[in-house]
């Protein structure tokens, strides 16, 4: 098995050392580099080619949000997991909108952080629908939500009926196998629909599909 290549990004050297010590012993993971600021990330990614970047949000020069946005614009962008001290934080939500595949709290048990990296490397976002709703509600306020809903509904209109059904199921947190059973199709067909949804809507991952369906008011309990 080829080890997962991991890049650590945090401005606190003690945090980086702790993460490196904690995760360096895993047989299926290789730490290929460390950065103290988001300004260093692009050059390190170019040089080390990580599969996953564990990214702190708050850094002094270039924060994790900007660094994530820049990374996700790359053709072969690594997956990004953001590190944060707060589970309901607007910066986290912005990072997810920018293309991060999930987030973990800095006080998360070591084994869970390692599992999060493994899941993201395998294409499985580290974010539950419940947490998505908490973040959305935390960030909601003013005229922003109305504008966001209008924009989201316009974008979702590009999907056909079947793709829309799959998008809603993804937003509800269902796996490909669960969607296949629910919508009476093969897992391969579900994967094809998900790929088409990502391409049509210019999204990076399933987390962004979930956020868009939430914004559009398509998820159960959203009052649509």
């Amino acid at each position: 098995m080829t080890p997962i290549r991991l890049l650590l990004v945090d401005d606190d050297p003690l945090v980086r050392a702790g993460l490196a010590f904690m995760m360096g012993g895993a047989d299926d993971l290789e730490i290929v580099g460390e950065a103290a600021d988001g300004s260093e990330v692009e050059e390190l990614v170019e040089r080390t080619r990580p599969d996953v970047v564990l990214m702190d949000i708050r850094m002094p020069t270039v924060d994790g949000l900007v660094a994530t946005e820049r990374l996700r614009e790359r053709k072969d962008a690594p997956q990004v997991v953001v590190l944060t001290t707060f589970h309901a934080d607007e910066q986290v939500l912005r990072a997810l909108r920018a293309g991060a595949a999930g987030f973990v709290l800095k006080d998360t048990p070591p084994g869970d952080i390692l599992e999060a990296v493994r899941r993201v490397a395998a294409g499985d976002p580290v974010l539950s629908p419940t947490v998505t709703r908490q973040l959305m509600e935390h960030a909601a306020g003013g005229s922003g939500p109305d504008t966001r809903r209008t924009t989201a509904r316009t974008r979702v209109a590009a999907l056909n009926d079947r793709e829309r059904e799959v998008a809603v199921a993804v937003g509800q947190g269902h796996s490909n196998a669960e969607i296949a059973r629910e919508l009476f199709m093969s897992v391969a067909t579900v994967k094809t629909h998900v790929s088409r949804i990502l391409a049509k809507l210019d999204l990076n991952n399933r987390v962004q599909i979930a956020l868009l369906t939430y914004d559009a008011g398509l998820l159960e309990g959203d009052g649509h």
Side-chain angles (χ1 to χ4, degrees):
M1 179 184 296
T2 303
I4 299 165
R5 298 173 63 81
L6 177 66
L7 176 65
L8 303 176
V9 185
D10 197 294
D11 64 328
D12 187 334
L14 291 178
V15 172
R16 292 201 310 276
L19 288 169
F21 177 78
M22 176 178 70
M23 307 181 79
D27 294 337
D28 61 344
L29 190 146
E30 177 186 359
I31 297 174
V32 296
E34 298 181 18
D37 190 81
S39 60
E40 306 169 19
V41 171
E42 286 186 278
E43 187 274 331
L44 266 175
V45 165
E46 185 69 32
R47 182 155 49 88
T48 64
R49 301 293 179 179
D51 301 305
V52 179
V53 179
L54 200 52
M55 180 95 72
D56 187 21
I57 284 189
R58 291 171 175 81
M59 291 179 285
T61 306
V62 174
D63 64 23
L65 172 63
V66 173
T68 298
E69 290 173 337
R70 291 175 179 174
L71 278 187
R72 295 308 302 177
E73 290 174 355
R74 297 172 62 93
K75 182 179 179 181
D76 298 317
Q79 296 295 336
V80 177
V81 178
V82 293
L83 277 170
T84 181
T85 52
F86 302 102
H87 76 280
D89 185 284
E90 187 171 356
Q91 290 292 94
V92 176
L93 180 62
R94 289 179 62 195
L96 295 172
R97 290 188 187 284
F103 74 93
V104 292
L105 298 176
K106 288 190 175 182
D107 60 359
T108 298
D112 291 348
I113 294 180
L114 182 56
E115 184 59 26
V117 170
R118 288 172 175 148
R119 285 178 56 190
V120 166
D124 183 14
V126 186
L127 191 68
S128 71
T130 300
V131 172
T132 304
R133 289 184 176 86
Q134 289 175 345
L135 286 165
M136 295 297 296
E137 289 163 5
H138 176 80
S143 60
D146 290 337
T147 303
R148 218 166 40 229
R149 175 149 298 189
T150 300
T151 301
R153 286 181 172 174
T154 300
R155 294 181 68 189
V156 168
L159 303 178
N160 62 38
D161 290 344
R162 204 55 163 164
E163 290 165 346
R164 184 185 175 102
E165 288 178 328
V166 172
V168 169
V170 169
Q172 291 170 336
H174 298 315
S175 67
N176 286 341
E178 290 169 337
I179 296 171
R181 287 195 298 271
E182 180 183 335
L183 299 181
F184 304 102
M185 61 177 70
S186 70
V187 172
T189 301
V190 174
K191 290 179 179 178
T192 299
H193 281 307
V194 170
S195 295
R196 287 176 179 167
I197 292 165
L198 292 171
K200 275 189 176 183
L201 302 181
D202 193 24
L203 300 175
N204 290 310
N205 54 47
R206 295 167 76 100
V207 171
Q208 289 190 323
I209 294 176
L211 291 171
L212 188 65
T213 55
Y214 186 101
D215 284 351
L218 298 181
L219 300 188
E220 185 177 357
D222 278 352
H224 61 287

